[in-house]
Each structure stands twice: as C-alpha cells, then as structure tokens.
Amino acid sequence: MTSSGSTSFQSNSSSGSAHAKKAVPQQIENLSPLAVGDQKLNRHLGFFSGTMMNVGQIIGTGIFSNPTFILINCGSGGMMLILWVVGAIFAATGVWNYLELGSMLPRSGGEQEYLSYEYPKPKQLISFVFLIMGGIFARSAGLAQGATVFGNNIIFAIGGPSYTNNWGARGFAVFCLTFWLVLNIISTKFAIRANNFFTVLKIGLLILLICVGFAGLSGRLPNQPDISSNFSFDGTLDNPGSYANAIYYVIFAYGGWYNLNYVLDELKDPIKNLPRCAITALSLTTALYLLANVAYLAVLPVAVIKASKLTVAANLFNTAFGGVFGGRVLPVLVGCSSFGFVGVIFYSGSRVVLEAARKGFLPFDRFFSKVHPKLQTPIHSLVLLYLLSLIFLLAPPPGSVFQFIIAFSGYGGYFFSALSVIGLLILRRTQPDLKRPIRVPIVISILFIAICFYTLVFVFVPPASKPADYPYFLPYLITIAVGIASVGLWYYKIVIKNALETSYNAEIRLDGQQELFDDVYRDHASTVSSDDTASVDSSNFDNKSIHHAEVRAQPK
C-alpha cells in the first residue's frame, strides 16, 4: 500500500509511459465483489432511467395521501407548507451524504453495503440487522403500503367519496403486487420501461393537479374555500409528538431520493451518473411537491383535507371536475401513481435481497443469490419480497394498514441512515485517503443525523391524534423487537454457520474485485508515477489484474 492508500498496477495502454500506473482505489479490497459470468446484471440504466428510478419512488403515494395525516398532526395549512420545506431540506442533506457514499462505495445494496464497509466488526452485524429491518421488512411493508393506496383509489373510483370497502381495496392491492412480480420476473427491460411510463404519468398528473390549484387561487372553481384561512396558522398544534409524526409523513413522502443507490450495479458509469440522476430527481420532485400542496389548500377546505384519509388527491379532482372524469377517471390515474411506485420498489428491493444473499446473510443464501441466466432477473428474491408484502398487506386490521405500515417501515430506516452517515464521518478520520469523488460538508452530515434522531425519539411522545385500532407506539416497538430478534438470527447464520466464508461473494472474491475495477473504476482511476506509488511485480501477469501480484512499496 502507498501513502495515498491505493494499490497500483501497470497500465496496458500503448500510449502511456512504461512507468505509468493506474491507482487502484483502496476500497476495492473491502467492498463486496461484483458478480461474474451469467450472474452479473447488465448495466442498462442511463441518465433518464436512473432519474426515473428515484422520481418513481419519491412520487409514490405520499403526495397523494399524506397531506391528510400531516395536516391532522400539525393543525394548520401554513404549518403544513413549512413542514414540506423541512422535508425537502432533510432529503437534500440525505442526497448529498449518499452521493459521497455511493460514489465512494459504488455497489448495489445502499446502506447494506455502506454499513458493511464502515462497521465490519463484529462480522458485519450492523449490516445484517439493517438487511432484516430495512432491506426485507421495510421494503415488503413499502410494497404493501403502495398497493393499499392503489386499491383505495380504485374503490373510490368505483363507489365515490362515501364508499369504502377495505377488503375490496386489498383485493386490488393483491392484483397490483402480482402484476409487478410477474413483469419483473419476465423481463428487466420491460419492468424498467413500465416504471418509466408510470413515472412520467405521475409527473403529468401532478402538473394537472397544480394547474387545478392555480385555477383555485384565481377563483375559477366552485365551492371555493376560504383561502386566507387555509393558508394561515390558525389551529397550529404545539404537541412535539404530533410534529414528530407529521415529519414522519413528510419524510416518507420524500422517501426515494436514495433508491438509485440500491441498483448501482445496473447504472451506466455510476460515479458520473449517480449525482446527475439524484440531484435532478430531487429538484424536480421538490418543486412539484410544494406546488401540489398549495393546490390542495387552494381547492379543498382544511376540514375536507383532514377527512380525506388516503384519497385527498381524488377529492381535489372530484371537487374541481366532478362528474365521470373527476369522480371516476382521475382517481384511477392517482391510483396508477401508487401502482408505479410498487413497481419501482419491487425492482430495487429485489436487488437488496439479492446482494444480501450473495453476502451469505439469508437462509438458503445460495438459492436467493441466483439470477436467471437468460432472463437476467433475480426470480427467487422477487418471490420472497412478494410473499412478505402479502403478509404486511393482509395481517394488520382493515382500515389502519396504511398508518401502521408507514410507522413500521420508516422507523428503522432512519436509524440506519444516520449510522451510515456517522460511518462516513468516521471514515474521514480512519481512511482519509479513500477515493472520494464527492465530499459533503460536515455540517450537512450533522444536520441529517440530527433530523434522523429527532424522528427516532419524539415519536414516543403521545400525539394529539392517536390511531384508533392500535397503540400509537406499537409499530415502533415491533420495529425494535425485530431488530433485537435479528441479532439472534445473525449469531446463528454468521457466527455458528460461518456463512460469510461460504457465501457466493467469498467464492468469487478475487475475480469479482477485478470485475468491479474494470467495470467501475478503470475510467476513473488516476494515472500516477512509479515514484509515488507501489509497484507491481508482473513477470507472469497480463498487466490488467489487481490480484495474483506481489505489491512492493517503493520508498519515495
């Protein structure tokens, strides 16, 4: 190793000096290897599809449903708008931190990969617990939540605002999950094209919603609410538990700014495209979100928004257009937004499960670590997510599934996001010479961590409006219990069964690390002088491999 923390090897470029060498980033040795052969997923996501991968999850169900719960927990329209700005700031700090993590550790899996690198001892425990809580259970819960909102909007379109049928909505939700399972199994390209289509549909739907809002502000709609009262701070609550819940719903609505980090193995030139995609996606959705909330307040009375539950957007369109178009067609389009959200989660979530299996984290890890060699799809991982999402969909009491799932799926996620960024700051001191294409200011990291821990602590303060079907703290306690139970699973699988050493990644480590360098780092590795780096003895070597060579440190 050199003083710069990188290994080097002779370049095989004919135009380079005989003494020129390519610096091999230090992190390759501790990153998960890239799959090889027919188990390697193709890099087919460009700038547009990568951006849509994030936008498709951010614009999921939250902007069409969460304003109800946010307004209930904060009390006034003015405060609701402020909370949406706070959510945008939180998401922006998260994006900045995850850009450094993703460009420094460019592998699929998101936090699972980051925590594994940052906290390798004891035997990747923290990464393992994240997988169980955030990778499998939270993703499955997110699928159930998105499918639930789809089902509720279809029921709204069938029977109107006063008609409810919880089990009918669940039936449509099961159809939604099954559709995306089959499509993701059949073809990766078809799944991405469908994701892009539904994401563009969501953007168009939000633009239409915003236009309706401008019509409301100009006084062109019937049954106009009191605009000054809607946008005021009258009725603002002062309960910290309520605000913690409100921020939860806001942050959930912005959730997805990290989605592309889970599928970096399929993004073309991830070090260059990840920042472009992530920044574009968040900038677009922030503008749409703020304008959409102005539209809600311009068209619907505060009392109607609070009573809308999961169909606030459908109520807006019904109020503005009425008839068949407003009461039947547009609610279906709102449901299609949630439908597309499920597709994006299915796609990225299956990659998290796949990478976990390849590390050896899952029972039957070799079974779940396989990609179909012809279809290029992780069939077994997809089926696992599908089955777990059905449990989350059907197990909670009818009518409360949405609130319960949001609380359950979000709680552990913020904890591990905070740990990932704390680990990023630790690496600044322990491995200061790591190749970091992007470097986030420390104050931004601290702000992100602070907001994460705020949501973790203050949700236990009793909110002003409590769920009717279960104790308000139940989903948070269940999350903690799942985390504790996963430690026992880790001990059995990793310590007793020694799964890390028998995993797919352990088997292909050398070839996979070479594949990772060639696939990601080669074009971004700096060319350096032999006087400044280690040299490689490659007498029986093709000058390309970063392995099977003796590295000798040369004095400067």
Side-chain angles (χ1 to χ4, degrees):
M1 304 294 285
T2 72
S3 59
S4 63
S6 61
T7 310
S8 66
F9 66 95
Q10 291 187 359
S11 169
N12 62 338
S13 170
S14 58
S15 61
S17 165
H19 296 289
K21 296 177 175 63
K22 286 282 190 177
V24 180
Q26 174 186 351
Q27 51 262 52
I28 280 186
E29 293 297 326
N30 295 315
L31 273 173
S32 296
L34 199 59
V36 296
D38 61 10
Q39 293 301 294
K40 178 186 175 185
L41 295 171
N42 295 325
R43 291 193 182 275
H44 59 96
L45 299 176
F47 169 72
F48 178 75
S49 293
T51 301
M52 293 300 101
M53 184 64 65
N54 273 5
V55 174
Q57 184 172 345
I58 299 174
I59 307 177
T61 60
I63 189 59
F64 300 111
S65 305
N66 286 12
T68 292
F69 304 105
I70 296 166
L71 194 53
I72 288 173
N73 281 285
C74 72
S76 68
M79 181 56 67
M80 181 177 76
L81 292 177
I82 290 177
L83 290 179
W84 281 99
V85 173
V86 171
I89 294 171
F90 172 79
T93 61
V95 165
W96 205 341
N97 282 286
Y98 272 51
L99 287 182
E100 176 170 340
L101 286 166
S103 58
M104 180 175 65
L105 308 172
R107 286 284 284 106
S108 286
E111 294 94 341
Q112 179 178 250
E113 187 63 42
Y114 310 148
L115 295 168
S116 178
Y117 189 96
E118 295 164 343
Y119 309 101
K121 296 178 181 179
K123 289 185 175 290
Q124 300 187 20
L125 170 62
I126 295 178
S127 179
F128 184 95
V129 175
F130 163 78
L131 163 74
I132 302 299
M133 295 176 63
I136 293 182
F137 283 105
R139 287 267 149 175
S140 301
L143 288 171
Q145 174 265 329
T148 298
V149 176
F150 166 73
N152 276 284
N153 276 282
I154 299 302
I155 291 297
F156 182 101
I158 292 172
S162 61
Y163 178 67
T164 58
N165 186 333
N166 289 320
W167 284 105
R170 289 184 176 191
F172 284 110
V174 171
F175 163 76
C176 172
L177 294 171
T178 305
F179 173 88
W180 284 110
L181 170 69
V182 173
L183 186 61
N184 275 276
I185 286 176
I186 292 174
S187 171
T188 294
K189 290 185 178 180
F190 286 163
I192 287 297
R193 288 171 183 170
N195 287 339
N196 291 347
F197 169 78
F198 280 105
T199 301
V200 171
L201 178 65
K202 297 177 197 182
I203 294 172
L205 188 62
L206 273 179
I207 291 174
L208 176 60
L209 189 151
I210 291 166
C211 290
V212 171
F214 283 131
L217 287 174
S218 63
R220 296 175 179 242
L221 297 179
N223 303 318
Q224 192 79 19
D226 185 341
I227 298 295
S228 61
S229 175
N230 270 20
F231 284 88
S232 74
F233 290 87
D234 294 342
T236 300
L237 300 178
D238 58 3
N239 184 301
S242 294
Y243 279 101
N245 281 330
I247 290 175
Y248 239 85
Y249 287 112
V250 172
I251 292 174
F252 183 88
Y254 279 105
W257 48 262
Y258 43 75
N259 197 40
L260 191 57
N261 290 65
Y262 295 126
V263 295
L264 285 185
D265 291 352
E266 296 167 80
L267 180 66
K268 299 175 183 177
D269 197 352
I271 293 178
K272 180 181 76 173
N273 279 324
L274 176 62
R276 296 171 60 203
C277 295
I279 293 171
T280 301
L282 183 60
S283 300
L284 173 63
T285 52
T286 296
L288 292 173
Y289 272 19
L290 295 178
L291 291 173
N293 278 278
V294 169
Y296 288 133
L297 294 172
V299 176
L300 298 173
V302 167
V304 172
I305 297 176
K306 289 181 178 181
S308 294
K309 296 184 179 180
L310 305 183
T311 56
V312 60
N315 273 333
L316 179 143
F317 287 127
N318 189 46
T319 299
F321 296 103
V324 174
F325 184 70
R328 298 290 188 266
V329 177
L330 284 172
V332 171
L333 296 179
V334 174
C336 285
S337 172
S338 303
F339 193 85
F341 169 82
V342 172
V344 173
I345 295 291
F346 240 125
Y347 190 93
S348 61
S350 64
R351 273 56 180 178
V352 175
V353 175
L354 178 68
E355 291 303 317
R358 288 175 169 176
K359 285 176 177 288
F361 283 0
L362 296 181
F364 311 106
D365 54 277
R366 287 304 181 107
F367 177 77
F368 289 112
S369 67
K370 291 180 180 179
V371 169
H372 192 283
K374 292 184 179 179
L375 297 177
Q376 274 280 288
T377 56
I379 296 176
H380 303 149
S381 299
L382 288 163
V383 172
L384 176 63
L385 277 180
Y386 174 77
L387 295 176
L388 290 173
S389 64
L390 287 180
I391 294 173
F392 278 101
L393 176 67
L394 302 175
S400 300
V401 61
F402 183 81
Q403 289 174 275
F404 185 91
I405 286 174
I406 286 184
F408 176 84
S409 63
Y411 190 68
Y414 305 134
F415 174 71
F416 290 107
S417 292
L419 280 185
S420 296
V421 177
I422 290 171
L424 181 152
L425 297 179
I426 293 173
L427 288 179
R428 294 273 185 90
R429 296 185 63 86
T430 59
Q431 299 183 30
D433 298 319
L434 279 183
K435 186 177 179 65
R436 292 176 173 85
I438 295 172
R439 193 178 181 93
V440 62
I442 292 178
V443 66
I444 299 298
S445 298
I446 293 174
L447 178 60
F448 177 80
I449 294 167
I451 297 176
C452 284
F453 279 109
Y454 170 83
T455 61
L456 292 173
V457 173
F458 280 91
V459 291
F460 285 100
V461 178
S465 176
K466 301 177 183 178
D469 298 315
Y470 59 87
Y472 74 93
F473 51 81
L474 181 62
Y476 312 123
L477 292 183
I478 292 177
T479 303
I480 295 171
V482 169
I484 295 172
S486 63
V487 175
L489 180 59
W490 164 83
Y491 186 80
Y492 173 78
K493 180 66 177 169
I494 305 300
V495 178
I496 296 178
K497 291 295 185 180
N498 202 29
L500 294 179
E501 283 71 28
T502 60
S503 66
Y504 172 80
N505 280 357
E507 179 184 318
I508 60 134
R509 177 159 298 278
L510 295 183
D511 291 334
Q513 289 176 346
Q514 177 65 52
E515 189 76 26
L516 178 61
F517 177 82
D518 291 338
D519 212 37
V520 177
Y521 284 110
R522 181 174 292 277
D523 292 338
H524 295 275
S526 58
T527 304
V528 292
S529 165
S530 60
D531 293 333
D532 297 324
T533 70
S535 68
V536 175
D537 182 1
S538 54
S539 56
N540 297 306
F541 179 49
D542 65 359
N543 287 335
K544 287 181 65 178
S545 177
I546 61 174
H547 295 292
H548 310 106
E550 178 187 358
V551 181
R552 300 195 308 269
Q554 296 282 351
K556 298 186 73 171

